[in-house]
Amino acid sequence: MLKKLIKRLTAPKNPDSPRYRREMAERICGKRIRYVTERRNNVDEVIGREGSMSLRDDELIVFSSSNVVFRCPVDELTASELLSKDGVVLTGPDTEHGGVERTVIAYYVYYRK
């Protein structure tokens, strides 16, 4: 209990810091995905259904529809959870698709608590 309190009090506040990016990637790692959308010209298009997110070799990998739809180095990743906590917005250079800067939104599978 004390360990959780200390971790929460010393949590990084700057979203541009490497520590914040790493902790955010570790928080969303292992989440199951209902679907993934990509924002193009202010329109969200579904690019995959059913999958998961994982960390491998300092890269966050979004796997959906039997494909890797997004792969980004953690140090260059900008991740922010949706206000509803139902998903996460990921922005960064996608090394899977030639290093192009992309913004994808991964929506989590809903679990009743």
Side-chain angles (χ1 to χ4, degrees), residues 1-13 19:
M1 174 125 170
L2 182 63
K3 190 174 185 180
K4 286 183 181 180
L5 177 65
I6 291 172
K7 187 172 183 177
R8 194 175 81 200
L9 291 175
T10 62
K13 308 282 190 274
R19 182 174 166 214

Side-chain angles (χ1 to χ4, degrees), residues 8 17-18 22 25 27-28 33 41 48 50 56 60-61 64 67 71 82-83 85 96 98-99 102 109-110 113:
R8 194 175 81 200
S17 71
R22 180 148 316 278
R27 186 179 323 145
I28 63 177
I33 297 172
N41 301 327
E50 296 182 358
R56 232 178 247 162
L60 181 76
I61 301 170
S64 183
N67 295 316
R71 178 190 304 251
L82 299 175
L83 290 176
K85 303 289 187 198
E96 188 71 20
R102 291 177 67 199
V109 172
Y110 175 74
K113 293 181 182 180

